[in-house]
Amino acid sequence: MNANSPDFQKLRVAALESRRADDMARLIERHGGVAHVSPSMREIPIRPNRAAVDFAYRVITGQIGVVILMTGVGFKFLLSAIEGDVDRQRFLDALSDITTIARGPKPAAAMKEVGLTPTYRVDEPNTWRELLQLIDRQVPVANQHVGLQEYGVTNPSLIAGLEARGATVETVRVYGWDYPEDVGPLEANLRAIIAGERDVLLLTSAHQVVNLLRLAESQGLVAPLREAL
């Protein structure tokens, strides 16, 4: 692909997007590529999740003053995890009374679905770095208890950054990641990459790489995959 070209020039593009696979395929094709999109992961909610229930009670009782929502699906899983143990409306009302930060458009949209608007929304590209920049500009967190809804895995850099600014960080993990229910398309893309039948590998998250390597390892294909990449 020519660095000065605005499109893929008919290159064969492997992408590992899951929830928005169709959108990714259209995006690649709109930019002149031949799309080969294979979902690589799915979110698995943690159930039962006593930690989520405890987290919600701490928000309701005013023990957490700032809540950071990292993903839209995570916020939805959080609401689902506390159902039956915590009054949903009391929790939502408590969130509306404190400072809330949405990492990007998806958690903001999930909040809107239940009648909430985040106090702040992180600028694009919506990484933990932009989140900390927002906090430096607008959200003093020194001596505050900050609730952090995590996304599948812990982000030690973000936690360290918050703690360096004087916050006490209380994390809540509501889901993990696994393979998609059908790994056939992912395996097909894996073997096509190794065979030289893909020109570009398009990634949008680190865990896509993790699952691709896990699948390669399970089939004894790590070495040829690394060589192909």
Side-chain angles (χ1 to χ4, degrees), residues 28-228:
I28 292 168
E29 291 165 358
R30 189 161 64 244
H31 287 272
V34 179
H36 298 276
V37 182
S38 56
S40 58
M41 61 190 204
R42 62 189 169 111
E43 295 94 354
I44 306 295
I46 298 171
R47 291 194 178 124
N49 193 338
R50 186 66 214 176
V53 173
D54 292 342
F55 178 86
Y57 275 124
R58 288 181 62 75
V59 172
I60 289 171
T61 56
Q63 298 177 67
I64 293 176
V66 178
V67 168
I68 300 171
L69 300 173
M70 298 297 285
T71 64
V73 68
F75 181 57
K76 293 177 181 179
F77 281 152
L78 175 59
L79 293 180
S80 177
I82 66 175
E83 193 172 347
D85 293 288
V86 178
D87 185 288
R88 175 189 173 103
Q89 193 56 51
R90 281 189 67 199
F91 178 59
L92 295 177
D93 289 344
L95 284 175
S96 70
D97 288 338
I98 64 175
T99 299
T100 52
I101 301 173
R103 185 174 62 97
K106 292 179 182 178
M111 293 180 70
K112 184 178 180 180
E113 288 178 8
V114 293
L116 297 178
T117 301
T119 313
Y120 300 100
R121 190 166 130 177
V122 177
D123 293 335
E124 292 184 351
N126 316 121
T127 73
W128 62 270
R129 293 180 178 86
E130 285 76 39
L131 198 162
L132 290 178
Q133 289 169 8
L134 169 69
I135 285 173
D136 287 339
R137 291 194 309 268
Q138 296 182 278
V139 190
V141 294
N143 302 315
Q144 291 244 43
H145 284 256
V146 176
L148 176 63
Q149 171 257 305
E150 297 186 306
Y151 50 92
V153 295
T154 295
N155 184 331
S157 297
L158 174 56
I159 293 173
L162 292 168
E163 291 176 341
R165 289 158 174 80
T168 299
V169 182
E170 302 190 23
T171 62
V172 59
R173 186 166 175 257
V174 290
Y175 67 94
W177 284 312
D178 203 348
Y179 289 128
E181 292 183 357
D182 179 9
V183 298
L186 180 60
E187 181 179 348
N189 245 345
L190 167 65
R191 293 185 178 278
I193 292 168
I194 291 171
E197 297 170 0
R198 302 288 184 265
D199 304 302
V200 178
L201 176 59
L202 181 58
L203 303 165
T204 57
S205 79
H207 206 78
Q208 292 175 357
V209 182
V210 171
N211 273 9
L212 182 66
L213 288 171
R214 280 180 59 206
L215 183 61
E217 184 176 17
S218 71
Q219 300 189 16
L221 296 174
V222 172
L225 174 62
R226 290 183 183 276
E227 184 177 348

